[in-house]
Short mmCIF file of all heavy atoms in Angstrom, two decimals:
data_model
loop_
_atom_site.label_atom_id
_atom_site.label_comp_id
_atom_site.label_asym_id
_atom_site.label_seq_id
_atom_site.Cartn_x
_atom_site.Cartn_y
_atom_site.Cartn_z
N LEU A 349 -7.50 17.30 -2.27
CA LEU A 349 -6.32 18.00 -1.74
C LEU A 349 -6.42 19.50 -1.96
O LEU A 349 -6.08 20.30 -1.08
CB LEU A 349 -5.05 17.45 -2.39
CG LEU A 349 -4.48 16.14 -1.85
CD1 LEU A 349 -3.36 15.66 -2.74
CD2 LEU A 349 -4.00 16.31 -0.41
N PHE A 350 -6.86 19.89 -3.14
CA PHE A 350 -7.01 21.31 -3.49
C PHE A 350 -7.94 21.99 -2.47
O PHE A 350 -7.67 23.10 -2.01
CB PHE A 350 -7.58 21.42 -4.91
CG PHE A 350 -7.93 22.82 -5.31
CD1 PHE A 350 -6.96 23.72 -5.69
CD2 PHE A 350 -9.25 23.23 -5.34
CE1 PHE A 350 -7.28 25.02 -6.06
CE2 PHE A 350 -9.61 24.52 -5.72
CZ PHE A 350 -8.60 25.41 -6.08
N LYS A 351 -9.01 21.31 -2.10
CA LYS A 351 -9.97 21.89 -1.15
C LYS A 351 -9.42 21.90 0.26
O LYS A 351 -9.52 22.90 0.98
CB LYS A 351 -11.29 21.09 -1.21
CG LYS A 351 -12.06 21.27 -2.51
CD LYS A 351 -12.55 22.70 -2.66
CE LYS A 351 -13.46 22.86 -3.86
NZ LYS A 351 -13.97 24.23 -4.00
N PHE A 352 -8.83 20.79 0.69
CA PHE A 352 -8.36 20.70 2.06
C PHE A 352 -7.19 21.65 2.34
O PHE A 352 -7.02 22.11 3.46
CB PHE A 352 -7.96 19.26 2.41
CG PHE A 352 -9.05 18.48 3.06
CD1 PHE A 352 -10.09 17.94 2.29
CD2 PHE A 352 -9.11 18.30 4.42
CE1 PHE A 352 -11.12 17.24 2.87
CE2 PHE A 352 -10.12 17.60 5.03
CZ PHE A 352 -11.14 17.05 4.24
N ARG A 353 -6.38 21.92 1.34
CA ARG A 353 -5.25 22.82 1.55
C ARG A 353 -5.70 24.27 1.72
O ARG A 353 -4.90 25.11 2.10
CB ARG A 353 -4.28 22.69 0.39
CG ARG A 353 -3.43 21.43 0.50
CD ARG A 353 -2.44 21.30 -0.64
NE ARG A 353 -1.52 20.19 -0.38
CZ ARG A 353 -1.21 19.25 -1.24
NH1 ARG A 353 -1.72 19.27 -2.45
NH2 ARG A 353 -0.37 18.28 -0.91
N SER A 354 -6.95 24.54 1.48
CA SER A 354 -7.47 25.90 1.68
C SER A 354 -7.96 26.14 3.10
O SER A 354 -8.29 27.26 3.46
CB SER A 354 -8.61 26.17 0.70
OG SER A 354 -9.76 25.37 1.01
N TYR A 355 -7.99 25.08 3.93
CA TYR A 355 -8.44 25.21 5.32
C TYR A 355 -7.26 25.53 6.22
O TYR A 355 -6.37 24.68 6.41
CB TYR A 355 -9.11 23.92 5.79
CG TYR A 355 -10.35 23.54 5.02
CD1 TYR A 355 -10.55 22.22 4.59
CD2 TYR A 355 -11.33 24.48 4.73
CE1 TYR A 355 -11.69 21.86 3.91
CE2 TYR A 355 -12.50 24.12 4.04
CZ TYR A 355 -12.65 22.81 3.62
OH TYR A 355 -13.79 22.45 2.94
N PRO A 356 -7.20 26.72 6.82
CA PRO A 356 -6.03 27.11 7.61
C PRO A 356 -5.81 26.31 8.89
O PRO A 356 -4.70 26.24 9.39
CB PRO A 356 -6.30 28.58 7.91
CG PRO A 356 -7.79 28.73 7.84
CD PRO A 356 -8.23 27.78 6.77
N LEU A 357 -6.87 25.70 9.42
CA LEU A 357 -6.75 24.98 10.69
C LEU A 357 -6.52 23.47 10.50
O LEU A 357 -6.47 22.73 11.47
CB LEU A 357 -8.01 25.19 11.54
CG LEU A 357 -8.31 26.66 11.92
CD1 LEU A 357 -9.59 26.74 12.73
CD2 LEU A 357 -7.14 27.25 12.71
N VAL A 358 -6.36 23.04 9.27
CA VAL A 358 -6.16 21.62 8.96
C VAL A 358 -4.70 21.36 8.65
O VAL A 358 -4.09 22.06 7.85
CB VAL A 358 -7.05 21.17 7.78
CG1 VAL A 358 -6.65 19.79 7.32
CG2 VAL A 358 -8.51 21.18 8.18
N ARG A 359 -4.12 20.35 9.31
CA ARG A 359 -2.77 19.91 8.99
C ARG A 359 -2.85 18.55 8.33
O ARG A 359 -3.24 17.56 8.94
CB ARG A 359 -1.89 19.82 10.23
CG ARG A 359 -0.48 19.29 9.92
CD ARG A 359 0.47 19.46 11.08
NE ARG A 359 0.25 18.55 12.18
CZ ARG A 359 0.86 17.37 12.33
NH1 ARG A 359 1.71 16.97 11.40
NH2 ARG A 359 0.63 16.61 13.37
N ILE A 360 -2.50 18.50 7.05
CA ILE A 360 -2.49 17.24 6.31
C ILE A 360 -1.20 16.49 6.66
O ILE A 360 -0.13 17.06 6.65
CB ILE A 360 -2.57 17.48 4.80
CG1 ILE A 360 -3.87 18.22 4.45
CG2 ILE A 360 -2.49 16.17 4.04
CD1 ILE A 360 -3.96 18.63 2.98
N ILE A 361 -1.35 15.22 7.00
CA ILE A 361 -0.18 14.39 7.34
C ILE A 361 0.42 13.88 6.03
O ILE A 361 -0.13 13.00 5.37
CB ILE A 361 -0.58 13.20 8.25
CG1 ILE A 361 -1.39 13.70 9.44
CG2 ILE A 361 0.66 12.46 8.69
CD1 ILE A 361 -0.69 14.75 10.28
N GLU A 362 1.56 14.44 5.65
CA GLU A 362 2.18 14.09 4.39
C GLU A 362 3.65 14.43 4.43
O GLU A 362 4.11 15.17 5.30
CB GLU A 362 1.49 14.84 3.25
CG GLU A 362 1.55 16.35 3.41
CD GLU A 362 0.76 17.07 2.34
OE1 GLU A 362 0.28 16.44 1.38
OE2 GLU A 362 0.61 18.30 2.47
N GLU A 363 4.36 13.89 3.49
CA GLU A 363 5.77 14.22 3.38
C GLU A 363 5.91 15.64 2.85
O GLU A 363 5.08 16.13 2.11
CB GLU A 363 6.47 13.24 2.44
CG GLU A 363 6.58 11.86 3.04
CD GLU A 363 7.38 10.90 2.16
OE1 GLU A 363 7.14 10.84 0.96
OE2 GLU A 363 8.26 10.24 2.72
N GLU A 364 7.00 16.28 3.26
CA GLU A 364 7.18 17.68 2.90
C GLU A 364 7.16 17.91 1.39
O GLU A 364 6.70 18.93 0.91
CB GLU A 364 8.52 18.19 3.46
CG GLU A 364 8.52 18.35 4.97
CD GLU A 364 7.52 19.39 5.44
OE1 GLU A 364 7.57 20.52 4.92
OE2 GLU A 364 6.68 19.09 6.29
N THR A 365 7.64 16.95 0.62
CA THR A 365 7.68 17.13 -0.83
C THR A 365 6.31 17.18 -1.44
O THR A 365 6.15 17.58 -2.58
CB THR A 365 8.48 16.00 -1.49
OG1 THR A 365 7.93 14.74 -1.06
CG2 THR A 365 9.95 16.06 -1.13
N MET A 366 5.30 16.75 -0.68
CA MET A 366 3.96 16.73 -1.23
C MET A 366 3.17 17.98 -0.87
O MET A 366 2.03 18.12 -1.24
CB MET A 366 3.21 15.50 -0.74
CG MET A 366 3.82 14.19 -1.19
SD MET A 366 3.91 14.06 -2.99
CE MET A 366 2.17 14.02 -3.39
N LYS A 367 3.75 18.89 -0.10
CA LYS A 367 3.02 20.08 0.32
C LYS A 367 2.93 21.10 -0.78
O LYS A 367 3.62 21.07 -1.78
CB LYS A 367 3.65 20.67 1.58
CG LYS A 367 3.41 19.77 2.80
CD LYS A 367 3.69 20.50 4.07
CE LYS A 367 3.32 19.63 5.28
NZ LYS A 367 3.55 20.30 6.55
N LEU A 368 2.04 22.07 -0.59
CA LEU A 368 1.71 23.03 -1.63
C LEU A 368 2.91 23.80 -2.13
O LEU A 368 3.04 24.05 -3.32
CB LEU A 368 0.64 24.00 -1.08
CG LEU A 368 0.00 24.95 -2.10
CD1 LEU A 368 -0.68 24.14 -3.19
CD2 LEU A 368 -0.98 25.87 -1.42
N ASP A 369 3.82 24.16 -1.24
CA ASP A 369 4.99 24.94 -1.65
C ASP A 369 5.84 24.19 -2.65
O ASP A 369 6.59 24.79 -3.43
CB ASP A 369 5.85 25.31 -0.43
CG ASP A 369 5.12 26.26 0.50
OD1 ASP A 369 4.14 26.89 0.03
OD2 ASP A 369 5.54 26.38 1.65
N ASP A 370 5.76 22.88 -2.64
CA ASP A 370 6.61 22.07 -3.50
C ASP A 370 5.86 21.49 -4.69
O ASP A 370 6.42 20.71 -5.46
CB ASP A 370 7.23 20.90 -2.71
CG ASP A 370 8.10 21.38 -1.57
OD1 ASP A 370 8.78 22.39 -1.79
OD2 ASP A 370 8.09 20.76 -0.51
N MET A 371 4.60 21.88 -4.86
CA MET A 371 3.79 21.24 -5.89
C MET A 371 4.35 21.48 -7.29
O MET A 371 4.33 20.60 -8.15
CB MET A 371 2.35 21.73 -5.80
CG MET A 371 1.57 21.08 -4.65
SD MET A 371 1.50 19.28 -4.78
CE MET A 371 0.38 19.13 -6.16
N ASN A 372 4.84 22.70 -7.56
CA ASN A 372 5.36 22.98 -8.91
C ASN A 372 6.54 22.07 -9.23
O ASN A 372 6.63 21.52 -10.32
CB ASN A 372 5.76 24.45 -9.01
CG ASN A 372 4.56 25.37 -8.97
OD1 ASN A 372 3.46 24.94 -9.31
ND2 ASN A 372 4.76 26.61 -8.56
N GLN A 373 7.45 21.95 -8.26
CA GLN A 373 8.61 21.10 -8.48
C GLN A 373 8.19 19.64 -8.62
O GLN A 373 8.71 18.90 -9.45
CB GLN A 373 9.61 21.24 -7.31
CG GLN A 373 10.87 20.40 -7.48
CD GLN A 373 11.67 20.80 -8.71
OE1 GLN A 373 11.65 21.95 -9.13
NE2 GLN A 373 12.35 19.83 -9.31
N GLN A 374 7.23 19.22 -7.79
CA GLN A 374 6.74 17.85 -7.89
C GLN A 374 6.11 17.60 -9.25
O GLN A 374 6.32 16.56 -9.85
CB GLN A 374 5.69 17.60 -6.79
CG GLN A 374 6.29 17.30 -5.43
CD GLN A 374 6.98 15.97 -5.43
OE1 GLN A 374 6.36 14.94 -5.70
NE2 GLN A 374 8.25 15.95 -5.13
N GLN A 375 5.36 18.58 -9.75
CA GLN A 375 4.72 18.39 -11.04
C GLN A 375 5.75 18.23 -12.14
O GLN A 375 5.59 17.43 -13.05
CB GLN A 375 3.81 19.61 -11.35
CG GLN A 375 2.94 19.43 -12.57
CD GLN A 375 1.99 18.27 -12.41
OE1 GLN A 375 1.29 18.16 -11.42
NE2 GLN A 375 1.98 17.36 -13.38
N LYS A 376 6.85 19.01 -12.05
CA LYS A 376 7.91 18.88 -13.04
C LYS A 376 8.52 17.48 -13.00
O LYS A 376 8.80 16.88 -14.04
CB LYS A 376 8.98 19.94 -12.80
CG LYS A 376 8.53 21.36 -13.07
CD LYS A 376 9.63 22.36 -12.77
CE LYS A 376 9.17 23.78 -13.00
NZ LYS A 376 10.23 24.76 -12.66
N GLN A 377 8.71 16.97 -11.79
CA GLN A 377 9.28 15.63 -11.65
C GLN A 377 8.33 14.60 -12.23
O GLN A 377 8.75 13.65 -12.90
CB GLN A 377 9.58 15.35 -10.19
CG GLN A 377 10.67 16.22 -9.60
CD GLN A 377 10.88 15.95 -8.14
OE1 GLN A 377 10.30 15.05 -7.55
NE2 GLN A 377 11.70 16.78 -7.49
N PHE A 378 7.04 14.76 -11.95
CA PHE A 378 6.06 13.80 -12.46
C PHE A 378 6.01 13.86 -13.99
O PHE A 378 5.94 12.83 -14.66
CB PHE A 378 4.67 14.10 -11.91
CG PHE A 378 4.51 13.73 -10.45
CD1 PHE A 378 3.42 14.15 -9.74
CD2 PHE A 378 5.47 12.95 -9.80
CE1 PHE A 378 3.27 13.82 -8.41
CE2 PHE A 378 5.32 12.61 -8.47
CZ PHE A 378 4.23 13.04 -7.79
N ASP A 379 6.03 15.06 -14.55
CA ASP A 379 6.00 15.20 -16.01
C ASP A 379 7.22 14.56 -16.65
O ASP A 379 7.13 13.95 -17.71
CB ASP A 379 5.93 16.68 -16.39
CG ASP A 379 4.58 17.31 -16.07
OD1 ASP A 379 3.62 16.54 -15.85
OD2 ASP A 379 4.50 18.54 -16.01
N ALA A 380 8.36 14.69 -15.98
CA ALA A 380 9.59 14.11 -16.52
C ALA A 380 9.50 12.58 -16.57
O ALA A 380 10.09 11.93 -17.42
CB ALA A 380 10.79 14.52 -15.69
#
Side-chain angles (χ1 to χ4, degrees):
L349 279 172
F350 174 77
K351 291 294 186 179
F352 266 79
R353 284 181 172 132
S354 68
Y355 298 135
L357 299 179
V358 169
R359 177 168 75 92
I360 300 174
I361 309 303
E362 58 185 353
E363 291 185 312
E364 289 296 308
T365 53
M366 297 301 294
K367 289 195 174 181
L368 189 60
D369 293 342
D370 298 323
M371 284 301 288
N372 291 336
Q373 182 62 30
Q374 280 291 302
Q375 189 61 50
K376 292 178 182 178
Q377 294 176 6
F378 287 168
D379 289 342

